[in-house]
């Protein structure tokens, strides 16, 4: 079933992010199919990550993503004519790389996301709460 595979891919991607960056306090999402899976909801709970759902019809509750989606649409998708999916992947990837590595962002004090990430990489991460506790370990 395609949904199961998609869910597994999402779980792997989120697990990798948590292992590299540490666990967030909350995972914000809409009620899309990728976040209504019982397996993902169980993983979020086991990982001690709270969920913060975006109410239907209220995109402003996730303003950062909506801002990004608008920029992607206005600056890339609406100005390109893709003849193939391969061409779309190449053009969108070039835009993404420019957005993250070349273009300064006012919300990051006019640094690129790459520069911002490099400057803050030396700060300690939030403890990784996604690693399962050994049995018998007491929770605080």
């Amino acid at each position: 079933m395609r949904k199961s595979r998609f869910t597994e891919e999402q779980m792997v991607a989120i697990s990798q992010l948590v292992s590299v960056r540490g666990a967030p306090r909350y995972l914000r999402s809409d009620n899309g199919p990728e976040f209504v899976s019982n397996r993902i909801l169980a993983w979020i709970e086991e990982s001690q990550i709270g969920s913060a759902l975006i109410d239907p019809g209220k995109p402003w509750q996730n303003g950062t993503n909506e801002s990004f989606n608008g920029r992607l649409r206005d600056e890339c998708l609406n100005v390109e004519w893709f003849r193939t999916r391969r061409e779309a992947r190449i053009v969108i990837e070039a835009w993404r790389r420019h957005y993250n590595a070349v273009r300064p962002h006012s919300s990051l004090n006019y640094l690129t996301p790459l520069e911002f990430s490099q400057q803050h990489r030396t700060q300690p991460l939030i403890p990784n709460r996604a690693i399962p506790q050994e049995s018998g370990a007491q929770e605080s």
Side-chain angles (χ1 to χ4, degrees):
M1 175 183 247
R2 177 71 177 138
K3 186 176 177 185
S4 298
R5 183 171 174 259
F6 184 75
T7 299
E8 185 64 30
E9 290 171 3
Q10 296 302 308
M11 289 177 62
V12 168
I14 293 169
S15 295
Q16 289 173 340
L17 282 171
V18 167
S19 68
V20 170
R21 301 282 186 167
R25 287 192 180 114
Y26 296 96
L27 184 63
R28 180 175 297 279
S29 69
D30 59 16
N31 286 314
E34 65 275 20
F35 287 105
V36 295
S37 159
N38 289 333
R39 290 180 62 211
I40 288 184
L41 294 174
W43 180 86
I44 290 170
E45 186 175 325
E46 289 169 13
S47 302
Q48 299 176 347
I49 299 172
S51 61
L53 295 177
I54 299 167
D55 295 325
K58 297 187 178 176
W60 56 85
Q61 292 177 340
N62 195 15
T64 303
N65 272 2
E66 292 301 321
S67 175
F68 171 80
N69 290 343
R71 290 185 196 287
L72 173 63
R73 185 175 46 253
D74 293 345
E75 298 171 10
C76 182
L77 302 178
N78 287 349
V79 297
E80 297 288 344
W81 183 267
F82 305 116
R83 291 179 291 270
T84 64
R85 282 188 264 181
R86 183 174 187 273
E87 181 184 8
R89 280 193 292 271
I90 291 168
V91 170
I92 292 167
E93 178 61 15
W95 183 89
R96 184 191 68 80
R97 288 177 186 227
H98 182 268
Y99 184 88
N100 286 327
V102 176
R103 175 189 182 146
H105 295 245
S106 60
S107 63
L108 302 176
N109 202 26
Y110 296 94
L111 297 172
T112 68
L114 180 62
E115 292 168 332
F116 183 84
S117 175
Q118 289 169 344
Q119 283 187 7
H120 293 83
R121 194 165 281 154
T122 59
Q123 295 180 357
L125 295 173
I126 296 171
N128 191 338
R129 296 185 306 250
I131 298 174
Q133 302 273 330
E134 290 183 27
S135 61
Q138 293 183 353
E139 292 184 27
S140 50

